Amino acid sequence: MILGAGISGLMAAHDLRRHGFQVTVLDKGNRAGGRLATRPFEGAIFDYGAQYFTVRHERFASYQRAWETKGIIRLWDRDRYIGQAGMNSIATHLCQGLDLRCGTKVRQIFESAGVWNLETDFDEVLHADAVISTCPVPQTLAMLDRKLPELEAITYDRCLALMAILSEAPDLPEPGYKQIDDGGPVTWIADNRRKGISPSSHNLTIHASAQFSLNHWERNAEDIAPMLLNGYQATAWKLHRWKYAKPTVQHNTSFYEVDSKKPLLLAGDAFGGARVEGAALSGLFAAERLRELLS
C-alpha cells in the first residue's frame, strides 16, 4: 500500500509494479499528482504547484529521457523541463495501470494481526503487508500508532498560489517567467500561455514567498489577491493554499524505515530533497528497499 499519489508515491508504485508487486495507491485528493498540479479555470489552464523540474541524477535522467521520447514532457528553458500539457501530465502517465483510489483519506495506521491496518474516513479498514507513506511527514505522524521523535523536527514552508486571468498580455522576460528574490511578497510569476499549456488567454501563476504566505495564511482570498497581483489587472482569479509546499528542515536519509514487524517506510521531498527530482528519487529508493525486505 502506498499513501500519497504525488511524484514520490507514483514513482514508488511504478517501480514496484514493474517488478511484479501488487500495489494500491491511496490519496485524499480528487486527482493524483500532489504538487504536480494542473487545473482549468475560466477557460484557461494553470500549473499552480511545481512549475518545472531539473535533472541531476542519472537514475532520474533515464525517466526524463523516456518521458521526453514519449512526448510526456518537453524542455522549457535551459535545463528546465515541463509537462507537455501541464505538470500533471507526468502524474497522468505514471498512473496508467495502477490501482489508484483518490478521495480516500486515511485516519489511522496501526499494526495488528501481522499486517498493517489503514482506517479510512469511510470507516473501512484496509490491510497491507507493507506500506510506503509519501504524505507530508506531519500528516503521516498524525496517522501512525507510534511516536517517531526523530522526524518531529521536519517542517515545511507554506505557499499561497494565485491563478489569475488578465485583460492583456503581461510583461515578462523570455520565455515567460520571472523568479524574484527581493524579499517581497512574490517569488515566482509565470505566463501559462507562453509556457505553452494555455493557448486561449493571458493568465499568470503567482507564487507568494514563504514569509508572506505564513503571515497572511488565515486572511481572506479577497484581501490576498490584490497584494499578489501588484498592479496586474485580472478579470478572474483563484487562490490555492499549499500548506506543505517545501520542506525547510529535512531528514538526512533518502527515506526512513520504521522499526516494525512488517515494512513501513516514509519517503518524499522531506527525505530526497525539496525539488521534484529529490522527491521522485526518494520514492524509487524506498521502493527498492521495500523490494529487498519483501524478498
Side-chain angles (χ1 to χ4, degrees):
M1 193 81 69
I2 293 178
L3 301 185
I7 184 66
S8 188
L10 292 176
M11 292 291 277
H14 186 271
D15 178 87
L16 289 166
R17 186 172 177 272
R18 187 166 60 89
H19 285 87
F21 290 89
Q22 183 178 348
V23 185
T24 299
V25 182
L26 306 179
D27 195 281
K28 68 176 183 178
N30 294 324
R31 187 178 184 185
R35 290 193 300 281
L36 294 179
T38 307
R39 65 170 297 167
F41 172 61
E42 297 291 330
I45 305 294
F46 294 84
D47 276 340
Y48 62 103
Q51 296 292 295
Y52 60 86
F53 71 88
T54 57
V55 181
R56 301 177 186 176
H57 195 288
E58 174 54 33
R59 185 163 183 185
F60 190 56
S62 65
Y63 283 86
Q64 167 255 311
R65 290 191 294 267
W67 295 342
E68 198 168 10
T69 298
K70 294 176 181 178
I72 308 300
I73 64 169
R74 55 186 166 83
L75 191 64
W76 183 22
D77 180 41
R78 300 192 299 273
D79 61 345
R80 298 180 173 187
Y81 290 90
I82 59 175
Q84 186 68 252
M87 292 297 286
N88 194 256
S89 299
I90 303 166
T92 299
H93 171 69
L94 289 172
C95 285
Q96 292 178 9
L98 286 182
D99 178 8
L100 172 65
R101 305 181 191 181
C102 290
T104 303
K105 183 178 180 180
V106 175
R107 287 194 304 233
Q108 188 178 9
I109 307 170
F110 58 96
E111 197 175 12
S112 176
V115 295
W116 284 108
N117 300 269
L118 295 88
E119 181 182 322
T120 76
D121 268 0
F122 299 117
D123 291 326
E124 63 178 337
V125 178
L126 307 175
H127 308 291
D129 290 324
V131 175
I132 298 177
S133 179
T134 65
C135 304
V137 172
Q139 292 182 346
T140 301
L141 295 181
M143 290 185 279
L144 271 177
D145 64 346
R146 64 199 67 193
K147 300 291 185 181
L148 300 176
E150 59 271 43
L151 300 184
E152 291 176 358
I154 293 174
T155 56
Y156 296 76
D157 277 340
R158 301 181 181 196
C159 180
L160 294 167
L162 188 71
M163 295 163 272
I165 298 174
L166 306 185
S167 55
E168 57 184 36
D171 182 18
L172 290 175
E174 289 295 336
Y177 69 84
K178 181 190 292 185
Q179 199 158 357
I180 306 168
D181 300 308
D182 61 1
V186 173
T187 58
W188 175 266
I189 306 175
D191 184 337
N192 291 286
R193 180 174 186 173
R194 288 167 65 187
K195 195 176 186 180
I197 68 168
S198 186
S200 61
S201 66
H202 300 295
N203 60 87
L204 296 181
T205 295
I206 303 174
H207 282 177
S209 69
Q211 191 60 55
F212 180 92
S213 298
L214 180 62
N215 292 345
H216 298 276
W217 189 256
E218 300 295 339
R219 296 189 68 172
N220 292 331
E222 290 76 12
D223 298 327
I224 296 169
M227 291 185 279
L228 296 182
L229 285 167
N230 192 28
Y232 286 117
Q233 300 301 310
T235 58
W237 56 264
K238 190 173 186 67
L239 185 74
H240 184 84
R241 303 172 197 260
W242 294 107
K243 187 175 182 179
Y244 300 104
K246 181 181 179 181
T248 49
V249 176
Q250 303 175 34
H251 200 258
N252 58 4
T253 59
S254 57
F255 61 89
Y256 182 86
E257 186 175 339
V258 176
D259 183 13
S260 55
K261 293 180 181 178
K262 288 290 186 176
L264 172 62
L265 297 94
L266 279 68
D269 56 4
F271 303 93
R275 298 177 300 115
V276 170
E277 180 185 48
L281 289 173
S282 177
L284 287 174
F285 292 144
E288 185 176 80
R289 174 58 178 159
L290 184 56
R291 287 192 276 111
E292 292 175 358
L293 293 171
L294 295 177
S295 64

